[in-house]
Amino acid sequence: ETGVTQSPTHLIKTRGQQVTLRCSSQSGHNTVSWYQQALGQGPQFIFQYYREEENGRGNFPPRFSGLQFPNYSSELNVNALELDDSALYLCASSFSSGGAYNEQFFGPGTRLTVL
Amino acid sequence: DQQVKQNSPSLSVQEGRISILNCDYTNSMFDYFLWYKKYPAEGPTFLISISSIKDKNEDGRFTVFLNKSAKHLSLHIVPSQPGDSAVYFCAASASTGSYQLTFGKGTKLSVIP
């Protein structure tokens, strides 16, 4: 069974650029959540996708957007990068059957640095 | 406004002794609580969880206690081992919407041999 994988591992961008981060869910999982972990902080929920539709969003501006594909892989896109976007971006997958919490399995993350 | 708080950034414990990590929350809608462990360069790994209908859950060396009236939970590790050295995150979820996780800032546990 393959776990959650993310690419790239590290990324350096400059302010104003756009970035796409990728996540491959664990086999059999239909839900993916993205989290941002700034230095010294806990992960903060960005949004969740279930069956290719956004299913919840945290307190992040619209320049953070996402996609989930039919094979349940996912992308996180960030436009107009700001210095404060520098963080570890974590993807978590789970299987949702409705009506109960289901364990989320995290990938190793993508470290984004904005200069 | 932090809804999940871990007030101790770090904790050092001797090998073989008990480690107690604490967590407080403010949102009354939270009804499921989890502890995650994180090593450097890895994603958080699920450790143990507890539903709000229980006040204790045990799994081997790990026990989580929940005090709903005080909005407080704790993770006990007995006996502590050097391999337990990691950052521990407390997280909470509400059974509405997306079951998103709200995390604390983490406590770095160092178990000294």
Side-chain angles (χ1 to χ4, degrees), chain B residues 88-106:
Chain B
Y88 288 77
F89 289 100
C90 171
S93 177
S95 56
T96 54
S98 61
Y99 295 94
Q100 68 199 60
L101 295 175
T102 301
F103 285 86
K105 289 187 177 184

Side-chain angles (χ1 to χ4, degrees), chain A residues 33-96:
Chain A
S33 302
W34 285 90
Y35 294 82
Q36 180 197 66
Q37 186 181 8
L39 202 60
Q41 304 293 316
Q44 189 173 357
F45 177 71
I46 303 175
F47 44 56
Q48 182 185 89
Y49 278 80
Y50 171 66
R51 293 184 175 176
E52 302 175 55
E53 303 242 340
E54 191 177 287
N55 184 44
R57 188 177 185 93
N59 190 25
F60 280 82
R63 60 188 185 84
F64 285 79
S65 63
L67 282 172
Q68 186 184 30
F69 299 101
N71 66 355
Y72 301 125
S73 64
S74 175
E75 285 182 357
L76 164 65
N77 298 290
V78 187
N79 293 322
L81 283 167
E82 301 177 0
L83 297 179
D84 284 349
D85 296 333
S86 295
L88 180 68
Y89 288 85
L90 295 161
C91 164
S93 76
S94 59
F95 177 77
S96 298

